[in-house]
Amino acid sequence: MKQICFRKQTAIAVMFSVLCSTTCIGQLTLPPAEIEKALDEAYNKFKDLKEGKNADYIKELASVDPNIFGVVLVTTDGKVYTKGDITSMVSIQSVSKVFTMAKVIEEQGAKAVEDKIGVDATGMRFNSIVAVELQKGKEINPLVNPGAIAASSLINGADSAAKMKSIMQVHSDFAGRPLSLNWPVYVSEAGDNLRNQAIAHLLLAYGRMYFDPVQSTDIYTKQCAINVNAKDLAIMAATLANGGVNPVTKKKIVTPETVMHTLSVMATAGLYDNSGIWLYNSGLPAKSGVGGGLLAVCPGKFGIAVVSPPLDAAGNSVKAQKVIGYVVDKLHVNPYLVQPK
Ligand code: GLN
């Protein structure tokens, strides 16, 4: 009798724990077939879309193949799902701002970033000078050019080479492989970045630049020219989704707290002046770059990235926004979507 009771209890305990773990797994893990279906549909639905135009204010970007189109989703348990062109390299551009921001938070703390740069959305274009002028260099954030150049100036390192080395390293760690610079893109932008230099000098005038402004702009320009493909960006996004541990290499890159602060600014400012519309529709923190890359983070679940160079008027990849929006809808992963109990 005792034995039966014990068995019954054990069976109930096992059933309970299985039930519990499937519920938990149900929340955390998406069925692979569903992911594949969503990516497939999104890819086919938007592959022939011809809206948007390559950035051309950086001359080298005008000649990038506008037909490059790759979609990659990487889960927090390291599974990689791909569609289309995942090997063509594009310059990371503003997506880099996320990883330099995370590095500065690691080195100096979240408070220093809040105080020395700012964490408020400007609601203006990514390279707005007015945004700096209006608030005397305050109330900007590391995901628009002024805040990003300030972040480059804050990265630890005795000189500009040391700072750049550290930025390269953190990007490579997030991607899980050694990344390198696209020199033609760097040279093209470096020869023509007077506006960013003006922004850096204006910040200096307001006491909000923490290293030589010309060198800081140069570091920033180099970081924007780091070459990536859709898979790199998706692994970088998945590392953020996974609390700062790269789910493919298993290396710990930054702390969960650093990720938490970084994602918040991505939510409010990751797509510049269109961040509100983006968040309204997808609910996911994201970051775009004028090279055509866009990544989004579904915390605890996955990172997703798309590379497609043609941009809308705000400077965000047209196809990437549509594909990620579609996948988020299909997988029901907008974190604000909650079914009542
Ligand atoms: N390097 C570009 C610039 O500074 C990055 C802009 C972007 O991707 N939005 O203008």
Side-chain angles (χ1 to χ4, degrees), residues 57-58 93-95 97 126-127 145 189 196 220 224 272 288-291 315:
Y57 74 98
I58 299 169
Q93 297 299 337
S94 280
V95 185
K97 290 166 174 158
F126 57 83
N127 58 1
N145 292 16
E189 187 171 4
N196 283 339
Y220 162 79
C224 286
Y272 320 115
S288 61
V290 292

Side-chain angles (χ1 to χ4, degrees), residues 135-151:
Q135 308 287 345
K136 299 195 176 356
K138 296 179 181 153
E139 304 210 15
I140 54 169
N141 68 77
L143 301 188
V144 288
N145 292 16
I149 301 170

Side-chain angles (χ1 to χ4, degrees), residues 46 49 69-71 271 278 288 292-296 304-310 316-326:
F46 299 112
L49 190 76
F69 181 35
V71 183
L271 271 73
W278 170 262
S288 61
L294 197 157
L295 56 75
I304 183 169
V306 176
V307 170
S308 167
N316 302 313
S317 166
V318 176
K319 270 188 200 166
Q321 292 175 81
K322 292 198 187 287
V323 166
I324 298 176
Y326 185 92

Side-chain angles (χ1 to χ4, degrees), residues 175-198:
R177 72 181 187 101
L179 298 177
S180 54
L181 277 199
N182 182 326
W183 281 96
V185 169
Y186 163 66
V187 170
S188 162
E189 187 171 4
D192 200 13
N193 64 355
L194 290 174
R195 188 180 179 92
N196 283 339
Q197 288 190 35

Side-chain angles (χ1 to χ4, degrees), residues 226-245:
I226 294 173
N227 249 344
V228 285
N229 56 37
K231 186 174 170 195
D232 293 324
L233 289 177
I235 295 175
M236 295 168 104
T239 303
L240 293 169
N242 192 38
V245 172

Side-chain angles (χ1 to χ4, degrees), residues 95-228:
V95 185
S96 66
K97 290 166 174 158
V98 168
F99 306 101
T100 300
M101 173 186 178
K103 183 71 179 168
V104 177
I105 295 179
E106 281 291 290
E107 291 176 348
Q108 315 227 1
K111 187 77 173 74
V113 169
E114 188 179 334
D115 293 343
K116 293 183 168 176
I117 301 176
V119 290
D120 270 321
T122 64
M124 295 186 193
R125 273 192 79 73
F126 57 83
N127 58 1
S128 171
I129 289 175
V130 173
V132 180
E133 184 56 21
L134 275 177
Q135 308 287 345
K136 299 195 176 356
K138 296 179 181 153
E139 304 210 15
I140 54 169
N141 68 77
L143 301 188
V144 288
N145 292 16
I149 301 170
S152 304
S153 81
L154 278 171
I155 285 276
N156 287 349
D159 54 22
S160 134
K163 285 172 184 279
M164 191 58 219
K165 193 168 169 218
S166 160
I167 289 175
M168 270 317 271
Q169 186 60 50
V170 78
H171 281 73
S172 299
D173 284 344
F174 265 99
R177 72 181 187 101
L179 298 177
S180 54
L181 277 199
N182 182 326
W183 281 96
V185 169
Y186 163 66
V187 170
S188 162
E189 187 171 4
D192 200 13
N193 64 355
L194 290 174
R195 188 180 179 92
N196 283 339
Q197 288 190 35
I199 287 172
H201 283 90
L202 191 55
L203 286 172
L204 181 71
Y206 286 127
R208 312 276 294 174
M209 178 57 45
Y210 307 98
F211 186 62
D212 177 78
V214 174
Q215 290 184 56
S216 299
T217 309
D218 189 61
I219 295 167
Y220 162 79
T221 308
K222 281 202 180 103
Q223 97 179 22
C224 286
I226 294 173
N227 249 344
V228 285

Side-chain angles (χ1 to χ4, degrees), residues 51-120:
E51 270 171 50
K53 190 169 150 291
N54 280 27
D56 56 7
Y57 74 98
I58 299 169
K59 290 185 187 66
E60 199 66 23
L61 298 187
S63 55
V64 173
D65 179 1
N67 298 312
I68 296 172
F69 181 35
V71 183
V72 182
L73 184 151
V74 179
T75 61
T76 48
D77 46 14
K79 288 203 188 67
V80 180
Y81 299 83
T82 67
K83 278 305 294 179
D85 180 350
I86 61 153
T87 52
S88 285
M89 308 297 281
V90 295
S91 54
I92 189 168
Q93 297 299 337
S94 280
V95 185
S96 66
K97 290 166 174 158
V98 168
F99 306 101
T100 300
M101 173 186 178
K103 183 71 179 168
V104 177
I105 295 179
E106 281 291 290
E107 291 176 348
Q108 315 227 1
K111 187 77 173 74
V113 169
E114 188 179 334
D115 293 343
K116 293 183 168 176
I117 301 176
V119 290
D120 270 321

